[in-house]
Amino acid sequence: MAPAEITEDYYAVLEVSQTASSAIIRKSYRRLALLRAYETTSDPAQRRLYDIQWEHIRTQVNVQQEAKKHAAEAAETERKDNLNKQREQKARSERLERFYQHKSSLDRDIFELNRVVTRLTNEIKRLQEQDEEEKRRERANDSWWTFVTSPIYGKTKESDEMKQRREEGRRQRLTSRYIKGFELEQKEARLKEMTSSLLDVEMKIAAEKRRSEDEARAQEYQRQEKLRQEQEIRRRQEQEVKKKQEEQRAREFKAEWERAAAERQRAKAKREEEAARKMQEAMEDRAREQREQRAREDERAKAYRKAEAFAQAAEAARQKSRAGSGTTSTRSKPTSAFQKQNSCQHRSFWPKLEGSFTCSRCLEVQRRFVFQCPGCETVACANCRQILRGERSRPRTTSKRPSVPHQANTDNNYDPYSGYDWD
């Protein structure tokens, strides 16, 4: 398998030169590792995120360490078991080899013994046949037929040498039969013993084979059991990892929810603070406008008062002049602004004035437009205009702010500025 192509500059990653020694590389690696850990734990936000994941990371590290430890112990145990199994297999193989060698030797010996036994049996049988043949000839020579036919054919006379030779042959055959019979008994006993030994060796070989097969089955069963246990452990670990992941997701969700709740709380507090600030500013603006409006009304009241005083002084001077001269004037008496306003019926068309004005009746500031009576030059809002024109007897409530109550304009003595202390 070809090695993977490297496309990254590891010297630049470790911030060392190409000629750096191993000690410098290790030192740079440790420095960068500590720097990354310090950067993560020194920042409060990153540390908060890391603390959320720390328990899961620590659990994973412990699980990995435990897994490595168990794997090392299992590997060591497996190595020892394999070594013992190899030794047992080697010893069993050596025993089987010795058994097979012994069996082969017994097979050869039994084969040879069978040949010897067969040979001895045949030889003993041949000697017995020779003895029986000799006895048959002796019986034939001593039979009645031979006695009857001897005058005719004559009887064969046996010499002493022949008798001695026959007796010698009989004794030799008897001796050979005895020796060969004794040897045959020994060989048969030996053959029986070797056959028993061969049967014992075969039984041992079969027992070793059964033991080997039993151990193979036991090993297969252990292997299957170990595989099942590993699968069970892996399944439990997966379940634990899944449970840890779910708990980690739950913690992250809870932390995210708490963070979002805190953000919402801060946003709500900020909105409330902003609303309170705006309300305070609006109240201050309203109070300032009211102060400005009161100041303008005070100035207008002072101006009206001065104009009324001037008109009264002028009227008094004219009356005094007329009284001194003794003449009466046919002209109508000049009226004041209040009398002019009270005497006007406000029936003409009121033109619209664009801009910010104060209604002379309800004393509310109108920022967009007002209406002005062409007869008495009274400035009023739309509601007060309808009331002054007699189109509506009751004012429409347009603001929550309480206004200064006024009496209806039912007589000619109506003064909109009555009830105020102008001094």
Side-chain angles (χ1 to χ4, degrees):
M1 182 177 178
E5 184 179 0
I6 299 175
T7 60
E8 191 175 3
D9 187 0
Y10 292 152
Y11 295 110
V13 171
L14 293 173
E15 298 179 358
V16 296
S17 62
Q18 186 180 4
T19 59
S21 62
S22 300
I24 296 176
I25 292 174
R26 283 195 300 272
K27 184 177 180 180
S28 178
Y29 168 74
R30 293 172 181 172
R31 178 179 60 81
L32 292 175
L34 294 174
L35 178 62
R36 182 180 177 185
Y38 174 75
E39 289 177 352
T40 303
T41 54
S42 61
D43 188 5
Q46 294 184 3
R47 183 173 182 178
R48 225 172 12 250
L49 295 175
Y50 179 76
D51 289 340
I52 294 174
Q53 301 176 357
W54 178 80
E55 185 176 355
H56 178 63
I57 294 172
R58 189 63 183 172
T59 303
Q60 285 185 343
V61 170
N62 292 333
V63 168
Q64 291 177 358
Q65 291 177 355
E66 290 293 330
K68 289 181 179 179
K69 182 179 179 181
H70 291 318
E73 292 177 354
E76 182 65 20
T77 304
E78 185 176 1
R79 187 185 67 81
K80 292 181 179 180
D81 293 341
N82 291 332
L83 184 61
N84 294 330
K85 289 177 182 178
Q86 289 177 0
R87 291 175 180 174
E88 291 178 359
Q89 289 178 356
K90 185 177 179 181
R92 187 178 298 110
S93 299
E94 292 177 354
R95 284 196 303 270
L96 285 175
E97 183 66 25
R98 289 195 301 269
F99 288 154
Y100 280 121
Q101 291 178 0
H102 191 193
K103 183 176 178 296
S104 299
S105 177
L106 289 175
D107 288 334
R108 288 193 301 269
D109 294 341
I110 289 172
F111 179 74
E112 293 295 332
L113 284 174
N114 284 325
R115 287 179 58 188
V116 171
V117 168
T118 304
R119 181 175 58 78
L120 291 174
T121 303
N122 292 331
E123 289 180 354
I124 292 171
K125 186 178 180 181
R126 182 176 58 78
L127 292 174
Q128 289 178 351
E129 290 177 353
Q130 289 178 0
D131 289 340
E132 290 177 357
E133 180 66 25
E134 186 176 353
K135 289 178 179 180
R136 186 185 61 79
R137 285 197 300 267
E138 288 180 355
R139 284 194 303 270
N141 290 330
D142 294 335
S143 65
W144 63 273
W145 178 258
T146 304
F147 178 75
V148 172
T149 59
S150 60
I152 303 171
Y153 297 102
K155 185 178 181 180
T156 303
K157 293 181 179 181
E158 185 179 9
S159 62
D160 295 335
E161 186 179 355
M162 292 176 61
K163 289 179 179 180
Q164 187 178 3
R165 201 168 36 248
R166 189 176 66 242
E167 290 295 332
E168 183 67 26
R170 185 182 298 118
R171 285 194 299 270
Q172 288 181 357
R173 286 194 299 271
L174 182 60
T175 303
S176 296
R177 283 178 59 191
Y178 177 78
I179 293 173
K180 292 183 182 300
F182 180 75
E183 186 178 358
L184 179 61
E185 289 177 359
Q186 289 181 347
K187 295 298 182 182
E188 287 178 349
R190 178 62 178 168
L191 179 61
K192 186 177 180 180
E193 182 182 354
M194 295 180 69
T195 304
S196 178
S197 299
L198 179 61
L199 183 61
D200 188 22
V201 170
E202 290 177 350
M203 290 177 62
K204 290 181 180 179
I205 291 173
E208 287 291 336
K209 287 183 177 180
R210 283 195 302 271
R211 192 179 299 111
S212 178
E213 293 174 357
D214 293 340
E215 289 181 358
R217 284 193 296 269
Q219 290 177 3
E220 181 65 20
Y221 175 77
Q222 291 178 358
R223 189 182 65 82
Q224 294 293 336
E225 185 67 18
K226 183 178 180 181
L227 181 61
R228 187 189 64 79
Q229 291 178 358
E230 290 178 353
Q231 291 176 355
E232 182 68 19
I233 292 173
R234 189 159 49 248
R235 184 183 64 82
R236 291 181 180 177
Q237 289 178 354
E238 290 176 356
Q239 289 180 352
E240 290 179 358
V241 170
K242 186 177 179 181
K243 183 179 179 181
K244 294 295 184 182
Q245 290 177 354
E246 291 177 354
E247 292 177 354
Q248 179 67 19
R249 285 195 295 268
R251 286 193 297 271
E252 292 177 356
F253 176 78
K254 183 178 180 181
E256 184 66 22
W257 184 84
E258 291 177 352
R259 186 186 63 78
E263 290 291 337
R264 289 194 298 270
Q265 190 69 21
R266 286 195 294 270
K268 182 179 178 180
K270 187 176 181 180
R271 288 194 301 269
E272 292 177 353
E273 182 180 356
E274 185 68 19
R277 185 182 62 80
K278 289 183 178 179
M279 183 178 294
Q280 183 68 23
E281 291 179 355
M283 292 176 64
E284 291 177 357
D285 293 341
R286 193 177 186 85
R288 185 172 59 254
E289 290 176 358
Q290 290 178 354
R291 289 194 300 271
E292 292 176 356
Q293 181 179 355
R294 285 196 296 270
R296 286 193 300 269
E297 293 297 335
D298 291 343
E299 290 178 358
R300 288 185 60 185
K302 289 180 181 180
Y304 276 116
R305 196 164 55 247
K306 287 181 180 179
E308 182 68 19
F310 180 76
Q312 291 178 359
E315 182 64 22
R318 283 194 296 271
Q319 289 180 0
K320 186 177 181 181
S321 176
R322 283 195 298 271
S325 61
T327 60
T328 59
S329 177
T330 59
R331 294 180 300 178
S332 60
K333 295 180 181 180
T335 59
S336 64
F338 298 109
Q339 295 175 352
K340 184 178 179 180
Q341 184 178 8
N342 292 333
S343 63
C344 183
Q345 298 296 322
H346 309 296
R347 298 296 182 182
S348 302
F349 174 76
W350 290 41
K352 183 188 293 188
L353 299 180
E354 301 289 341
S356 177
F357 295 92
T358 302
C359 179
S360 61
R361 185 178 181 278
C362 65
L363 301 180
E364 290 187 359
V365 178
Q366 306 295 322
R367 297 186 181 277
R368 297 179 59 189
F369 62 89
V370 293
F371 296 96
Q372 186 178 23
C373 178
C376 62
E377 297 181 354
T378 299
V379 177
C381 60
N383 294 333
C384 294
R385 184 196 65 169
Q386 292 181 357
I387 294 172
L388 293 175
R389 287 169 61 90
E391 297 176 356
R392 190 170 63 197
S393 59
R394 227 173 137 181
R396 181 184 302 173
T397 303
T398 59
S399 175
K400 295 182 180 179
R401 184 176 62 180
S403 61
V404 178
H406 296 280
Q407 297 179 353
N409 187 12
T410 56
D411 54 4
N412 294 330
N413 296 323
Y414 168 74
D415 188 1
Y417 296 96
S418 62
Y420 289 89
D421 188 9
W422 302 102
D423 296 333

